[in-house]
Amino acid sequence: MCGIAGIANYKNGFEKQEISSMINAIRHRGPDEMGFHFFSSCALGHTRLSIVDLSSGQQPMLSLDGTKGLVFNGEIYGYKPIREKLSYPFRTKSDTEVLIALYEKYGENMLEHLPGMFAFALWNDEKKRLFCARDRFGEKPFFYAIGKNGEFLFASEIKAIIASGLIEPIISKKALKHYLQFLYIDPKNTAFTNIFSLPPAHSLSFADGKIEVKRYWSLPDGREISLESAKEQFVDLFEKAVSSQLIADVPVGAFLSGGLDSSTIVAAACKITKNINTFSFAFRDSFNELPFARQVSKKYQTKHTELYDDQEDLADLMLKMAEIYDEPFADSSCIPTYLISREAAKHIKVVLTGDGGDELLGGYPAYKSIVAMQDSSNNIALRFFYNFAAKSARLFTLSRNNLDVRAAGFNLKSKFSKTADAYMHLRSYFKPEDLIKFDFLTNDAAIELTESGTVEDALRYDILQYMPGDILVKTDRASMAHGLELRAPF
């Protein structure tokens, strides 16, 4: 895991100050090493967190003939089998050089052969062309902009682009509207009109002053299989994911909340390796899952560390969050994520997390309301009954929770014809009628999915919007602020 930055199409000859300022702004992402390379019209910068091939994986990395240069942030899981299939005279043992070898063999079609989490930029000096890409789910960030002299700027974080001194950021009203609705910035945009985010599963090329962005992968359509077959396939894929993400040349640990997602990660990891470090965070005066985390730690004999919320100054942390995230961000769990990442970084460099489990397996309560909406009729009498019953649950044998869900389903059915629209409503903080008061008049929070009319719309919405816009932003910035790599097997 690292920080990357670069400037292409430089008009005035290269002065090292701009690229140095960009890398220094994100030095926290890679405290182990820092490197630069200058072509005639492109500068590449890199700050490294050494995880794989500690002795020879330095970046920017050049091709054998020196005509291509690469900066890469992420991990290519299972890169060794890929490497064995490539006829290339490797000089290192790193996954970074695998990217160069894939480019040499497949060109810009290399992405279909590339698993893992990644954001990278590859400069082809012969073609004067920059080729960039971001992983399928948006685990690793990639921002870009056009500078005041026509330069193409890119970096792992927005602060690096601003640090170049080549752009004056302009606030985006559209982005602020999305933030007020959903408490995070749309992952396809940024908080600024003149700084852009490369969307997940997209590539970007820059040549002759022109930018071309292409989607290279889409979520596959669903297909029905038996529950038993689904269980077997899931267990197989999940265990393979955990196994591949345990590969590192440094110790690997895990976050352990005590919930099903993180506990399952720890259980699977401990089948493969021993002496795993686990880390938990708790609020003393509210919901506390530490007893469950301790049970899991005891069962699998992990080296366990616990943190509590009352050990920190909240006001100072709020200011720190603004510095870390660069944009408005209102997921309150960013603070405990930041704190537990800070503690973990004192012990190890790589941590497995349970992120993605809820979105993959339908763990959020809101999904139940969409299922209830999907199963509801337009019968007004039934809707009246469930609304009344939910308020008077003690009169009925059904549980209060089930009544609330059924009532919510009927109410959503009466207001929305599409499950996707209903789920966006449930996800919204400020509603459309509130936003009108702030002079936001149109609903432009588009979603990229083929609507099925089922709860799958909600699951896909979260994978395409909520995960890359909120969850993965939170984990990347909070962990990389301490030079810690988080991996999400789910």
Side-chain angles (χ1 to χ4, degrees):
M1 206 73 75
C2 309
I4 64 174
I7 309 173
N9 200 34
Y10 206 95
K11 298 293 186 182
N12 301 319
F14 275 111
E15 297 177 6
K16 294 185 178 180
Q17 182 59 48
E18 287 87 354
I19 190 70
S20 294
S21 296
M22 294 175 76
I23 286 297
N24 283 327
I26 54 173
R27 187 65 197 275
H28 50 272
R29 296 184 69 91
D32 295 330
E33 294 181 84
M34 187 164 58
F36 301 92
H37 188 81
F38 296 89
F39 293 94
S40 60
S41 54
C42 180
L44 301 176
H46 185 265
T47 182
R48 185 187 186 200
L49 180 66
S50 304
I51 303 294
V52 173
D53 191 11
L54 308 186
S55 61
S56 62
Q58 290 78 12
Q59 299 184 45
M61 186 172 288
L62 302 183
S63 60
L64 289 173
D65 60 7
T67 62
K68 303 169 189 72
L70 174 76
V71 284
F72 159 57
N73 169 33
E75 298 290 345
I76 306 305
Y77 304 129
Y79 74 93
K80 292 182 179 179
I82 298 172
R83 174 190 172 108
E84 291 170 0
K85 297 177 182 178
L86 295 169
S87 177
Y88 185 84
F90 289 97
R91 296 166 293 175
T92 75
K93 297 179 180 179
S94 71
D95 53 351
T96 304
E97 197 173 15
V98 170
L99 271 70
I100 295 177
L102 285 170
Y103 181 81
E104 294 281 25
K105 182 172 182 177
Y106 300 107
E108 294 181 7
N109 293 321
M110 63 182 285
L111 297 172
E112 61 187 79
H113 306 279
L114 194 62
M117 57 176 180
F118 55 82
F120 70 82
L122 189 151
W123 174 255
N124 187 324
D125 202 45
E126 294 176 318
K127 297 181 178 180
K128 304 300 180 188
R129 183 178 177 88
L130 187 70
F131 177 62
C132 315
R134 191 175 176 203
D135 65 67
R136 292 161 179 76
F137 295 98
E139 290 187 77
K140 293 295 100 192
F142 189 97
F143 299 100
Y144 65 96
I146 297 297
K148 58 187 177 183
N149 302 308
E151 308 92 344
F152 180 87
L153 312 169
F154 70 86
S156 295
E157 296 183 20
I158 290 173
K159 59 172 63 70
I161 290 178
I162 296 173
S164 72
L166 297 171
I167 188 170
E168 290 292 334
I170 302 170
I171 294 294
S172 167
K173 188 174 181 180
K174 179 181 178 181
L176 291 182
K177 178 196 170 185
H178 190 281
Y179 168 72
L180 291 173
Q181 277 187 284
F182 302 107
L183 306 184
Y184 60 89
I185 300 295
D186 186 334
K188 300 183 294 298
N189 301 294
T190 75
F192 309 98
T193 60
N194 54 347
I195 301 176
F196 307 94
S197 172
L198 181 61
H202 282 70
S203 65
L204 178 153
S205 61
F206 175 79
D208 300 322
K210 297 179 181 179
I211 299 171
E212 184 179 13
V213 176
K214 292 182 179 179
R215 173 179 284 281
Y216 67 85
W217 182 83
S218 297
L219 278 176
D221 293 332
R223 61 186 178 89
E224 289 193 15
I225 59 176
S226 70
L227 179 60
E228 198 60 37
S229 178
K231 287 162 59 178
E232 290 176 3
Q233 290 186 43
F234 185 90
V235 170
D236 179 59
L237 290 168
F238 174 72
E239 290 182 346
K240 286 178 179 177
V242 173
S243 178
S244 68
Q245 295 187 31
L246 283 170
I247 296 173
D249 294 335
V250 295
V252 179
F255 288 161
L256 178 58
S257 69
L260 282 174
D261 295 341
S262 63
S263 298
T264 305
I265 295 287
V266 170
C270 287
K271 287 182 180 179
I272 302 166
T273 186
K274 303 299 180 186
N275 302 317
I276 280 185
N277 287 266
T278 53
F279 303 87
S280 299
F281 185 94
F283 297 91
R284 289 190 192 272
D285 298 326
S286 60
F287 185 68
N288 185 344
E289 290 183 306
L290 277 185
F292 303 108
R294 289 171 187 156
Q295 289 181 41
V296 174
S297 174
K298 182 178 180 180
K299 177 177 177 63
Y300 294 103
Q301 298 181 329
T302 71
K303 184 179 179 181
H304 194 56
T305 302
E306 296 177 353
L307 289 177
Y308 293 89
D309 61 317
D310 57 4
Q311 298 169 347
E312 304 292 334
D313 186 302
L314 182 59
D316 288 343
L317 285 170
M318 292 292 283
L319 294 173
K320 189 66 178 177
M321 294 307 101
E323 175 187 328
I324 290 171
Y325 285 92
D326 295 341
E327 302 177 281
F329 189 71
D331 187 328
S332 58
S333 64
C334 67
I335 293 177
T337 305
Y338 171 85
L339 294 174
I340 198 170
S341 294
R342 185 181 66 186
E343 180 62 31
K346 297 175 183 177
H347 306 272
I348 52 180
K349 284 187 175 183
V350 179
V351 170
L352 302 186
T353 80
D355 294 303
D358 285 315
E359 292 79 9
L360 192 60
L361 297 169
Y364 294 127
Y367 295 145
K368 295 181 180 180
S369 298
I370 298 299
V371 171
M373 173 192 175
Q374 173 187 325
D375 296 340
S376 297
S377 70
N378 287 315
N379 188 302
I380 296 176
L382 277 176
R383 189 168 81 241
F384 175 81
F385 166 77
Y386 276 109
N387 281 322
F388 171 73
K391 296 175 183 177
S392 311
R394 65 182 182 276
L395 302 178
F396 300 90
T397 57
L398 292 171
S399 73
R400 174 64 182 268
N401 184 55
N402 286 336
L403 288 167
D404 284 340
V405 168
R406 293 299 299 271
F410 272 100
N411 288 332
L412 289 173
K413 185 81 169 183
S414 69
K415 295 177 181 178
F416 301 98
S417 60
K418 298 179 179 179
T419 53
D421 291 340
Y423 189 65
M424 286 180 66
H425 172 79
L426 293 176
R427 273 285 186 205
S428 296
Y429 189 75
F430 282 101
K431 306 301 181 186
E433 57 270 24
D434 301 317
L435 293 170
I436 290 174
K437 299 174 184 177
F438 293 109
D439 197 29
F440 294 117
L441 300 179
T442 59
N443 182 11
D444 50 20
I447 55 176
E448 304 172 14
L449 54 83
T450 301
E451 295 181 9
S452 66
T454 71
V455 71
E456 186 170 321
D457 292 342
L459 294 166
R460 286 175 173 253
Y461 175 86
D462 278 345
I463 289 172
L464 292 168
Q465 289 285 125
Y466 178 59
M467 284 291 291
D470 185 310
I471 299 299
L472 298 175
V473 172
K474 174 186 68 179
T475 55
D476 176 81
R477 306 304 187 277
S479 61
M480 294 308 292
H482 306 291
L484 179 72
E485 175 172 306
L486 298 192
R487 299 177 178 180
F490 280 115

